[in-house]
Amino acid sequence: YTPVHWSIEGKESNTCYMKLICNKSDSMRVLGYHIFGENAGEITQGVAIALKAGVTKDVFDQTCGIHPTSAEELTTMEITRASGQSPEKSGC
């Protein structure tokens, strides 16, 4: 069995894709998020609780991420789509 996220052509098996979707006009309240990678189910459960509580991007930024995990990236995201910067990360 090969997990679907390992079978994408051109994607290394240790790659994870994720983003937070925030409402700029509502104090950057997080409306949702996307994840495609290892442990997505476990990460989604924690994010779902935060979303139900009305979490903002600022709260994610103030949270200490658990290292080394994919989930810690949610606490260090800085690049916005509007910035035009590449979202690729090259390491820890």
Side-chain angles (χ1 to χ4, degrees):
Y1 171 75
T2 302
V4 70
H5 59 272
W6 287 1
S7 62
I8 297 174
E9 188 174 328
K11 177 192 166 298
E12 295 181 28
S13 64
N14 65 347
T15 303
C16 181
Y17 303 94
M18 66 176 70
K19 69 178 176 181
L20 290 173
I21 298 121
C22 303
N23 185 346
K24 291 180 184 178
S25 63
D26 186 14
S27 302
M28 292 297 284
R29 188 170 54 90
V30 181
L31 303 176
Y33 98 117
H34 296 163
I35 184 168
F36 193 67
E38 290 290 321
N39 303 310
E42 287 83 358
I43 297 168
T44 298
Q45 186 63 55
V47 172
I49 294 166
L51 291 177
K52 294 254 326 161
V55 71
T56 63
K57 175 69 169 81
D58 189 50
V59 172
F60 273 96
D61 293 343
Q62 293 176 29
T63 302
C64 182
I66 301 167
H67 183 76
T69 66
S70 296
E72 78 177 305
E73 295 302 318
L74 293 168
T75 67
T76 62
M77 289 182 170
E78 296 177 326
I79 299 171
T80 66
R81 182 175 181 184
S83 75
Q85 295 176 299
S86 171
E88 291 186 34
K89 192 163 183 167
S90 60
C92 293

